[in-house]
Amino acid sequence: MATMKAVVKTKPELGAELQDKPIPEPLPDWVVVKVRATSICGTDVHIYKWDPWSAERIGVKALPQILGHEVAGEVVEAGAHCKRIKVGDYISAETHIYDPGDLTSMLGSFHVGRHMKILGVDFDGCFAEYFALPESICWPNDPAIPPEVAAIQEPLGNATYAVLGEDADVAGKTMVITGDGPISLFAVGVARVCGVAKIIHFGKYELNMEIARKMGADLQMNTNDSTGAERLEFVLDHTGGNGVDIALEMVGSQNSVDDCFAMVRKAGRVTAFGIAAESPLPVDYNNGIVFKGCQVHGINGRKIFDTWYRNRNLLAAGRLDPTPVITNVFKLEDFKAGFDKMIERPRKSAKVVLLPDEQEYQAASKRIGG
Ligand code: ZN
């Protein structure tokens, strides 16, 4: 039996192991992909740490399980029922495996559904030399997009969906974006290329705030050395006293949620993306939402495949350059160094990419400059 190297969660405790595993075989409507690049998501960090969320969501019974869901690779085998995707295709993966029979899918919201499953959470993921996935969630990449960039399109899609919302009405508007994580930083870049006129970013780690500036943040404030009242005053000063048209909440902390509902103007939009450590989380319901007439938009995933389509075009055309957010590339076998980077606080990284192949790793290192 042919085997491959894979990063496997074996025990309900911190860490994971590099193991030899059989190369998967495709189900009739699945494909097998040779991984060219894969990136570490916050979700992988939760599972790696085996925090209460992963203990409940995945559970010890599912172990051993291969981690990972953000990927770019080449299809090496296609099941007998596959029609759209063929051997040789260069693809990335939508993580949300939708059920076309769910009501939300039938109404066009494929990314949220009662029977939705998640790659790398509900079954084996892509931190391996090969992995298998349903044809239905394969997205063909433009060959102009290098693998380390194609791999990060999944979180980039969160950013694009968060920035554009349901109506994509952002050109010429003002926006607050909170947080230092890769998706906050991607969102700054997307907002910039989509014509947001003024991007106000709140972060707390110097490296990440610098990346946000590279991605196009116009104004910034460090949340470590400012109060909520000072941040609100700053935003009002820069928006003619009105507040911003759109506030993207991308932290999930009480301060960030309070900031966003205070800073959004009347009849504006607050986009809720950050996941709170504890929920319910208090919100100024009367003044922040009702009397403001504001819209609250929750983001879970990406618009399938609207955000993929837009991002592929933006990336292939060179309009959007997300590479400042990719701070580190490692060989897949050095995944522990990658996770250490992601866990380290104060934060000294944004997106971390892993590559199984030595040559791909060398080429990506050269392009990223790390
Ligand atoms: Zn992800």
Side-chain angles (χ1 to χ4, degrees), residues 83-111:
K83 294 195 181 81
R84 184 171 64 91
I85 301 294
K86 10 175 238 316
V87 169
D89 284 356
Y90 172 40
I91 62 120
S92 283
E94 165 56 46
T95 316
H96 289 198
I97 302 163
Y98 55 90
D99 182 335
D102 277 338
L103 176 69
T104 50
S105 299
M106 293 170 76
L107 298 176
S109 292
F110 291 89
H111 58 295

Side-chain angles (χ1 to χ4, degrees), residues 176-189 199-213 215 217 219-224 231 247-253 255-257 259-260 263 271 273-275 325 345 347 349-350:
V176 153
I177 299 173
T178 69
D180 294 287
I183 297 174
S184 300
L185 306 176
F186 288 143
V188 171
I199 303 165
I200 306 172
H201 172 248
F202 295 109
K204 61 179 174 180
Y205 299 117
E206 202 31 64
L207 172 82
N208 304 63
M209 291 186 73
E210 191 189 317
I211 296 171
R213 288 193 289 280
M215 296 301 289
L219 298 161
Q220 285 184 306
M221 202 174 225
N222 190 313
T223 53
N224 266 350
R231 293 191 291 277
L248 306 190
E249 198 298 300
M250 301 195 128
V251 177
S253 71
N255 278 346
S256 169
V257 169
D259 279 355
C260 287
M263 291 165 182
T271 289
F273 177 74
I275 296 171
V325 185
R345 292 292 180 277
R347 213 186 233 281
S349 70

Side-chain angles (χ1 to χ4, degrees), residues 41-43 69-70 95 154-155 158 351:
C41 179
T43 304
H69 61 264
E70 299 176 1
T95 316
E154 193 254 14
N158 291 136
K351 201 73 195 165

Side-chain angles (χ1 to χ4, degrees), residues 23 29 72 75 111 132 135 181 184 246:
I23 294 176
D29 53 352
V75 175
H111 58 295
E135 180 195 32
S184 300
I246 300 158

Side-chain angles (χ1 to χ4, degrees), residues 325-343:
V325 185
I326 303 173
T327 49
N328 303 86
V329 294
F330 292 102
K331 288 202 59 188
L332 179 70
E333 63 201 51
D334 298 325
F335 68 93
K336 280 189 181 139
F339 276 100
D340 286 348
K341 271 277 161 206
M342 294 287 289
I343 292 167

Side-chain angles (χ1 to χ4, degrees), residues 304-325:
I304 300 171
F305 280 94
D306 181 89
T307 47
W308 286 93
Y309 174 71
R310 291 176 194 260
N311 282 340
R312 182 174 65 191
N313 290 343
L314 289 170
L315 294 170
R319 280 279 193 284
L320 176 63
D321 177 13
T323 54
V325 185

